[in-house]
Amino acid sequence: MAVLDGGVMVGKTKMLARELLSASVIQDRVKSLAAEIATVYLQKGELHTITVLNGSLHFSSALRLAIAEKQPALGESMTSDTIHLASYHGTGSSGRVRKISDLNHPITGKHVLVLEDIIDTGKTLSVLVAELRIQQPASLAVASLLRKPEKLMVDKSELSEEIFVGFDIGPEFVIGYGLDYDGLYRDLSAIYALSPMTK
Ligand code: IMP
Ligand code: MG
């Protein structure tokens, strides 16, 4: 039986989990994204990443390793920090962003790249970007593994100067590769879209 063949319980409803992006498709895209990012930041001369926990843990780790492998000179000077935000309850965006833990290092004058798992409505990212801009980083960009263009509710200018996106996807709720439903399914190596089960 393949992973999640029996479906996934979302509250009291059983949902169908369809593989949207396989592990190898994700790995290949993370590598090509890393190459793109490495070229840009080699020119800037430095890279300071901010990983938004928990969702982007796997993406951040794979991406940073691939950047350092692609451009060892950049890899040697790369620095990183984390911030823990929570904005989601169940499968709908709450629109409110709660900070569970903050950054440990100032970003003033640094070339900062925020690593996100997914841009859904974009509200979480716009709140974070506004807060980071106050510190006046040398540049501020975002790399997000996934983006749901149909659900975007904020202006693109609120989402930093430059955005690197792994995959644009539809509006469905997704799980796997860091993305959870109520704390579950983060450690699946593929990404699955949830939809209602038809009998
Ligand atoms: P936004 O503020 O609506 O853009 O939502 C941002 C956060 O909600 C993301 O960083 C995720 O943690 C979570 N999120 C949004 N869509 C999904 C999804 O399809 N699956 C799991 N988490 C999601
Ligand atoms: Mg997130």
Side-chain angles (χ1 to χ4, degrees):
M1 192 168 100
V3 178
L4 304 182
D5 258 3
V8 167
M9 291 307 291
V10 171
K12 285 178 183 163
T13 316
K14 200 170 199 182
M15 303 283 276
L16 195 69
R18 172 177 54 90
E19 189 182 279
L20 190 66
L21 300 163
S22 70
S24 70
V25 163
I26 298 170
Q27 284 160 17
D28 287 352
R29 182 63 186 126
V30 169
K31 277 191 191 146
S32 64
L33 205 54
E36 220 179 290
I37 290 168
T39 306
V40 172
Y41 285 86
L42 194 66
Q43 275 176 3
K44 293 187 196 284
E46 64 168 30
L47 172 56
H48 180 72
T49 63
I50 294 178
T51 300
V52 184
L53 299 173
N54 282 318
S56 55
L57 257 181
H58 294 309
F59 172 55
S60 163
S61 149
L63 186 79
R64 282 156 52 222
L65 286 171
I67 292 171
E69 202 169 296
K70 189 76 191 171
Q71 294 292 359
L74 179 64
E76 281 174 22
S77 66
M78 264 167 70
T79 51
S80 60
D81 205 348
T82 59
I83 191 165
H84 191 172
L85 303 177
S87 60
Y88 230 74
H89 301 284
T91 62
S93 183
S94 70
R96 280 171 291 128
V97 181
R98 197 157 55 92
K99 193 186 289 172
I100 294 164
S101 71
D102 210 340
L103 299 174
N104 279 312
H105 305 284
I107 58 164
T108 308
K110 290 183 186 169
H111 288 291
V112 175
L113 180 66
V114 174
L115 304 181
E116 258 288 21
D117 50 356
I118 189 164
I119 301 172
D120 184 13
T121 63
K123 287 178 189 167
T124 306
L125 195 55
S126 69
V127 169
L128 177 60
V129 161
E131 189 180 314
L132 296 178
R133 275 184 176 147
I134 294 169
Q135 285 198 50
Q136 299 191 318
S139 67
L140 182 58
V142 173
S144 184
L145 178 63
L146 306 173
R147 178 173 61 183
K148 296 178 181 172
E150 292 166 52
K151 293 191 67 188
L152 197 64
M153 286 175 67
V154 301
D155 194 80
K156 278 192 180 132
S157 63
E158 292 178 50
L159 301 179
S160 85
E161 297 146 26
E162 192 168 9
I163 305 186
F164 302 90
V165 176
F167 303 93
D168 275 326
I169 62 168
E172 324 99 305
F173 194 80
V174 291
I175 53 170
Y177 205 80
L179 293 140
D180 71 308
Y181 169 69
D182 268 1
L184 298 171
Y185 314 114
R186 282 194 202 280
D187 302 300
L188 300 167
S189 50
I191 290 175
Y192 299 81
L194 301 184
S195 56
M197 270 201 167
T198 45
K199 287 189 185 144

